[in-house]
Amino acid sequence: MTDYLASVRVHDPHPEDHLTSSAMLQDVVIGLSDGLTVPFALAAGLSGAVASSGLVITAGLAEIVAGSIAMGLGGYLAGRTEVEHYAAELAREHREVVEVPDRERAEVDELLAEMGLSDSIRRQAVSELTADPEQWVRFMMKYELGLEEPDPRQAPKSAFTISAAYAVGGLIPLSAYFFTATPTQGLVWSAAITLVCLLVFGFFKSRLTGQPAVAGAIKMAVVGALAAAAAFGVARFVSR
Amino acid sequence: MTDYLASVRVHDPHPEDHLTSSAMLQDVVIGLSDGLTVPFALAAGLSGAVASSGLVITAGLAEIVAGSIAMGLGGYLAGRTEVEHYAAELAREHREVVEVPDRERAEVDELLAEMGLSDSIRRQAVSELTADPEQWVRFMMKYELGLEEPDPRQAPKSAFTISAAYAVGGLIPLSAYFFTATPTQGLVWSAAITLVCLLVFGFFKSRLTGQPAVAGAIKMAVVGALAAAAAFGVARFVSR
């Protein structure tokens, strides 16, 4: 699901309008999507294989910590990489408009031709777009490479939000095992609570990305249920 | 890490050149990144808390199955959503160029102004770009909304590749517990094997995305080691 959200974020036609709140909301969605699903399925799987709720809780907490660090730190490093990548490409374009201006001018012309502009307009447009080196580089970055300048403060914020959302999402299904006597009872409550959460979350997530909300709710619940059922089957088979 | 790769894929300036192989390679990277990290950290965490390798293996396999279904099915549904989203936006743009042509023409003009074109060129360019409705819509899709037409066959392929890569990545650290007598021995071998794999994988992943390769190798290993150490600490604390 991360892919789709990332592509929506990158292509947001009005990033300046609602960057902070919307980026944060998307990070919450990314973290919750995985957090509600994987720890739930792992705990469900172990419920069919072990006799002690304590073991389910231990494994569940270990998974939540591992997953939230991997996602959060992974997200942070990916954000840093994006900032470095942008800076490196920017430096390269600045160099290229000075060192190989003819080739860069031809690239501008090619991009305008792809848009559908005729020869005569392109000739004028190329000379306008390449008159000021700053503007020329900005054009290349955006339309040749499709890169928008990333905000360096976004990476640590995203990392924290994704991590926290994963942990919160994971603790919801696991909480059922705290209050029940056996793993089987825990599984029943955990499944009930989590399916409701997945339906509600899938509904709002779809609304957020402008998709049909009821279908989104059902999809989300089906992913969680299938992952849990498969984990349950495998764990029971292995532990025989 | 998925975010960065997704943005690279979406913005690939020459998608037609190497779509299949490169998209597949990126899916392998997405699956392996998480597969090498999270099951490794979970197994490491449990090694400090339980006395039986069998339990570590059961939990590890349950996690691998849960994670690979959640990632694979999640990826498949995200891909389908992207195809539906593109179709819905395409239909809307087709409607808008017929129903509110003046507003759409103003939007083309605005986009060209953002590129840095002067009034006089824009007037001609707008009339050229809006002469043919098909071309007009294509321009709006790409430059207003930043959407490229997704390949509907990509979603199931991606889902399968990500799933399989996650499972392969997860089985590497877990395999150590098959061949050792106690969880502690398993952990030592698992950590050694996985850190080597993370270094090698981080190196090639960075090469693939044009980043400094040695730094990428170290980052990948640090994420895995931190996730494992934290999971170990939490599981030991909980199981006391």
Side-chain angles (χ1 to χ4, degrees), chain A residues 30-40 64 71 165-171 173:
Chain A
I30 290 171
L32 273 183
S33 289
D34 285 4
L36 275 171
T37 317
V38 181
F40 162 57
I64 289 171
M71 282 192 89
Y166 187 88
V168 169
L171 286 172

Side-chain angles (χ1 to χ4, degrees), chain A residues 43-57 173 176-191 232 236:
Chain A
L46 283 180
S47 304
V50 302
S52 136
S53 286
L55 268 176
V56 176
I57 290 172
Y177 297 91
F178 285 98
F179 304 113
T180 50
T182 67
T184 313
Q185 283 171 18
L187 173 57
V188 172
W189 282 100
S190 178
F232 187 92
R236 173 153 278 193

Side-chain angles (χ1 to χ4, degrees), chain A residues 10-11 63 115 118 128-129 146, chain B residues 10-11 63 115 118 128 146:
Chain A
V10 167
H11 287 307
E63 209 286 337
M115 286 179 199
S118 67
E128 272 196 14
L129 294 174
Chain B
V10 167
H11 287 307
E63 209 286 338
M115 287 179 199
S118 67
E128 271 195 15

Side-chain angles (χ1 to χ4, degrees), chain A residues 1-4 6-14 27 30 34 37-38 41-42 45-46 49-50 54-55 57-63 65-67 69-71 73-75 77-82 84-85 110-112 114-121 124-126 128-129 135 138-139 142-148 162 166 209-212 219-220 222-223 226-228 230-232 234-236 238-239, chain B residues 1-4 6-14 27 30 34 37-38 41-42 45-46 49-50 54-55 57-63 65-67 69-71 73-75 77-82 84-85 110-112 114-121 124-126 128-129 135 138-139 142-148 162 166 209-212 219-220 222-223 226-228 230-232 234-236 238-239:
Chain A
M1 321 235 160
T2 37
D3 278 18
Y4 175 66
S7 75
V8 169
R9 182 192 304 179
V10 167
H11 287 307
D12 191 323
H14 305 292
D27 289 333
I30 290 171
D34 285 4
T37 317
V38 181
L42 170 68
L46 283 180
V50 302
L55 268 176
I57 290 172
T58 303
L61 288 176
E63 209 286 337
V65 169
I69 289 181
M71 282 192 89
L73 201 53
L77 294 173
R80 282 270 305 272
T81 301
E82 205 181 328
E84 287 161 20
H85 180 64
E110 208 181 298
L111 289 165
L112 296 174
E114 248 172 57
M115 286 179 199
L117 293 173
S118 67
D119 280 10
S120 66
I121 292 193
Q124 293 168 268
V126 169
E128 272 196 14
L129 294 174
Q135 178 180 273
R138 223 181 309 130
F139 181 86
K142 185 158 177 191
Y143 298 99
E144 190 204 8
L145 303 174
L147 295 175
E148 302 272 358
I162 291 176
Y166 187 88
T209 52
Q211 298 304 310
K219 279 180 194 171
M220 199 74 216
V222 167
V223 173
L226 280 180
F232 187 92
V234 165
R236 173 153 278 193
V238 172
S239 65
Chain B
M1 321 237 160
T2 37
D3 278 17
Y4 175 67
S7 75
V8 169
R9 181 192 305 181
V10 167
H11 287 307
D12 191 322
H14 306 292
D27 289 333
I30 290 170
D34 285 4
T37 317
V38 182
L42 170 68
L46 283 180
V50 301
L55 268 176
I57 291 172
T58 302
L61 287 175
E63 209 286 338
V65 169
I69 289 182
M71 281 193 89
L73 200 54
L77 294 173
R80 282 269 304 271
T81 301
E82 205 182 329
E84 286 160 19
H85 180 63
E110 207 180 299
L111 289 164
L112 296 174
E114 250 173 56
M115 287 179 199
L117 293 172
S118 67
D119 279 10
S120 66
I121 293 194
Q124 292 169 269
V126 169
E128 271 195 15
L129 293 175
Q135 178 179 272
R138 223 181 308 129
F139 181 87
K142 185 156 178 192
Y143 298 99
E144 190 205 8
L145 303 174
L147 294 175
E148 303 272 357
I162 292 176
Y166 186 87
T209 51
Q211 299 305 309
K219 278 179 195 170
M220 198 76 217
V222 167
V223 173
L226 280 182
F232 187 91
V234 165
R236 176 155 275 192
V238 173
S239 66

Side-chain angles (χ1 to χ4, degrees), chain A residues 91-149:
Chain A
R92 198 168 68 125
E93 290 295 338
H94 270 292
R95 231 170 27 239
E96 286 181 350
V97 301
V98 174
E99 287 171 9
V100 285
D102 290 345
R103 208 180 65 195
E104 293 296 294
R105 220 171 267 126
E107 284 178 0
V108 173
D109 188 62
E110 208 181 298
L111 289 165
L112 296 174
E114 248 172 57
M115 286 179 199
L117 293 173
S118 67
D119 280 10
S120 66
I121 292 193
R122 256 152 48 209
R123 212 163 305 135
Q124 293 168 268
V126 169
S127 78
E128 272 196 14
L129 294 174
T130 60
D132 170 29
E134 281 304 317
Q135 178 180 273
W136 188 357
V137 166
R138 223 181 309 130
F139 181 86
M140 299 308 281
M141 291 300 285
K142 185 158 177 191
Y143 298 99
E144 190 204 8
L145 303 174
L147 295 175
E148 302 272 358
E149 186 168 6

